[in-house]
Amino acid sequence: IVRPPLYPLVLVPCVAADPDGVRLIQWLQALFGTLLVPVLAGIAGRWAGPKAGDRALVLAAFHPFLVYYGAFVVTEPLFLLLLWAALAACLHVELDPARSTRWVVLAGILFGLGCLCRPALQPFLVPAALWVGWRVRRARGRRAALLAMALLTAVVSALLVPWMVRNRLVHGEASLAPRNAQQVFSQGNSEAYLRVLEAGSQEEFYARHDEMSVPYLADGGVPPDQWAPIATRFIRERPADWMRLQWKKTLRFWTPWLDPVVHPATHVWLSLGATLPLFVFSAAALLRRRGRPDAFGKLLAALVLVGWLTGGFLFHVAVRYRIPFVDVTFLVLTASWLGRPGRPPRGTARAA
């Protein structure tokens, strides 16, 4: 399995300076998390008003999982910053149509870097490009809209295609992470994964998880071209069990707390206190906005949908995959509701 290139490249200076420790990496992760806070506050403030921006600032600064990620060598802090900075640039496309070209270029750069960090972002490029074209068309006409979509596509492609060509030549697959998609699709749609989700204890969970990983080991595993058939045979031959698996994956994805079978009680309660309010208040925000849909809200809805498809339907489920797409979107929605719980904001992003 070949990992996406950006995150390892970002860590190279830290490893070169301190090969035996992760302290510099943790400081870098903390920097990414710190920069994310004003980005989210700026989005909420421009979309839903200054008070919403203030609420988003506090929520993002003290959200346990956004703070927690900084202590670990994971892609989320960098990916979160790139993804939401790209969404901020998209919002500027609508709010600043006179300078939309520069915002489209910036969004393309950030989306491209985000894909080089987490290829699961790639499906979102389609609704993002369509959204940019839609908003530019309303402000500047059809020709400008087509040019904006083409420009966004060209900028993203300029960043992604060289890596895809290189992986095709070296690894035989024109993707950003060769064989990674096959593995997670196979694992996430297998009988072994159903057994993992039905585990009754932490020991049983990890034992079954280790068993599930055996076919994909470099030593003793099956060839990569046989990974996808593991899933397709299960789907074709045992459709009832596959549907049961999808139901369990859906429940696991949308449950606003960690699995008590796997995680310590303190972590479960922390996740419940941090996540459940976001789900509740974001639902309230959506109900309040249902009569006055806005354009940026549609883009956020597309982001949540892509997050579910890639992190809760096609592949195996993990809370860390959900947070950048869903939880942070709900954080922004919660801030919009807390900013003005009584009525929709006026004078911010234009209604669709």
Side-chain angles (χ1 to χ4, degrees):
I1 297 172
V2 180
R3 299 298 180 185
L6 182 63
Y7 188 63
L9 290 175
V10 169
L11 298 187
V12 165
C14 298
V15 176
D18 184 11
D20 299 323
V22 296
R23 182 61 59 86
L24 289 178
I25 295 176
Q26 290 175 326
W27 280 106
L28 184 62
Q29 303 269 82
L31 175 62
F32 294 149
T34 302
L35 293 175
L36 176 65
V37 172
V39 169
L40 295 178
I43 289 174
R46 292 182 178 89
W47 179 46
K51 289 185 178 180
D54 295 340
R55 280 28 172 207
L57 184 74
V58 175
L59 291 172
F62 295 99
H63 190 283
F65 289 117
L66 297 184
V67 176
Y68 180 78
Y69 280 144
F72 297 90
V73 184
V74 292
T75 60
E76 273 71 21
L78 176 59
F79 177 67
L80 278 162
L81 179 60
L82 293 170
L83 169 60
W84 284 91
L87 290 169
C90 289
L91 183 58
H92 276 286
V93 169
E94 179 177 16
L95 299 179
D96 188 12
R99 295 183 292 180
S100 60
T101 299
R102 69 178 64 180
W103 294 115
V104 169
V105 171
L106 180 59
I109 293 172
L110 293 167
F111 277 134
L113 293 175
C115 291
L116 292 175
C117 185
R118 290 275 292 274
L121 180 60
Q122 291 177 94
F124 182 65
L125 298 176
V126 175
L130 293 174
W131 186 90
V132 166
W134 172 40
R135 303 320 295 168
V136 172
R137 183 179 184 275
R138 289 178 62 89
R140 299 173 53 193
R142 182 177 301 176
R143 177 181 174 82
L146 293 174
L147 290 175
M149 289 190 291
L151 180 60
L152 182 69
T153 303
V155 173
V156 173
S157 299
L159 290 169
L160 303 190
V161 170
W163 288 101
M164 297 173 73
V165 171
R166 184 258 182 192
N167 285 339
R168 177 67 178 86
L169 296 175
V170 175
H171 302 289
E173 183 178 321
S175 70
L176 298 178
R179 293 181 290 279
N180 185 68
Q182 296 94 314
Q183 182 201 17
V184 292
F185 173 75
S186 177
Q187 285 184 326
N189 294 275
S190 64
E191 179 185 2
Y193 189 48
L194 177 59
R195 295 183 68 250
V196 169
L197 296 184
E198 292 179 335
S201 67
Q202 186 182 69
E203 294 77 13
E204 188 178 18
F205 177 89
Y206 284 113
R208 292 183 178 185
H209 193 280
D210 290 342
E211 293 175 4
M212 180 183 69
S213 303
V214 169
Y216 315 98
L217 297 175
D219 297 325
V222 301
D225 60 357
Q226 297 181 23
W227 291 352
I230 293 175
T232 55
R233 282 196 302 269
F234 181 62
I235 296 171
R236 183 178 62 253
E237 297 173 4
R238 300 176 60 181
D241 287 336
W242 180 75
M243 290 297 295
R244 183 156 56 95
L245 172 61
Q246 293 303 320
W247 174 245
K248 288 182 176 294
K249 286 165 62 177
T250 299
L251 289 178
R252 192 178 187 88
F253 184 85
W254 291 109
T255 298
W257 56 82
L258 296 176
D259 185 355
V261 173
V262 181
H263 299 276
T266 53
H267 291 185
V268 174
W269 284 107
L270 180 63
S271 68
L272 179 65
T275 308
L276 183 59
L278 298 185
F279 278 56
V280 172
F281 285 121
S282 61
L286 290 174
L287 288 173
R288 189 196 67 184
R289 288 176 173 272
R290 70 187 186 279
R292 297 182 57 180
D294 61 272
F296 191 66
K298 290 180 171 61
L299 186 62
L300 294 182
L303 181 68
V304 170
L305 177 61
V306 169
W308 172 69
L309 287 174
T310 58
F313 179 72
L314 293 176
F315 308 134
H316 61 277
V317 180
V319 171
R320 57 178 287 227
Y321 301 151
R322 184 192 71 195
I323 287 176
F325 294 91
V326 177
D327 292 44
V328 178
T329 298
F330 287 179
L331 185 151
V332 174
L333 279 168
T334 296
S336 75
W337 191 87
L338 293 175
R340 284 197 177 185
R343 61 183 188 278
R346 299 181 184 276
T348 53
R350 293 187 299 274

